[in-house]
Amino acid sequence: MANTKALSKDERKKSKRTARKKRATEKPLKPREYARGSAKRKVKKLARGTAKR
């Protein structure tokens, strides 16, 4: 995807999508070894103050 100025909007969208698909097949993300959301900071109820009361 060198020069996208010459392309129309639809052609640009198609080329971006094909580039994304190509990257996904060439360099797939490795599966995470921890549960989703487990790395989030846990907020204690008292720390939220009066927002949830």
Side-chain angles (χ1 to χ4, degrees):
M1 280 189 45
N3 187 11
T4 55
K5 273 280 194 226
L7 303 176
S8 70
K9 185 180 178 186
D10 292 328
E11 290 171 331
R12 224 181 3 257
K13 284 178 80 172
K14 283 180 187 168
S15 67
K16 286 173 92 171
R17 185 189 168 108
T18 53
R20 268 204 315 273
K21 283 182 172 271
K22 184 179 170 193
R23 187 177 62 231
T25 55
E26 287 177 358
K27 298 177 183 169
L29 293 172
K30 71 175 174 65
R32 56 173 68 83
E33 51 266 351
Y34 52 89
R36 288 185 69 207
S38 65
K40 289 176 86 172
R41 301 288 305 275
K42 301 296 186 268
V43 180
K44 294 273 192 285
K45 286 183 180 171
L46 287 173
R48 288 187 294 196
T50 58
K52 286 282 186 173
R53 292 170 195 202

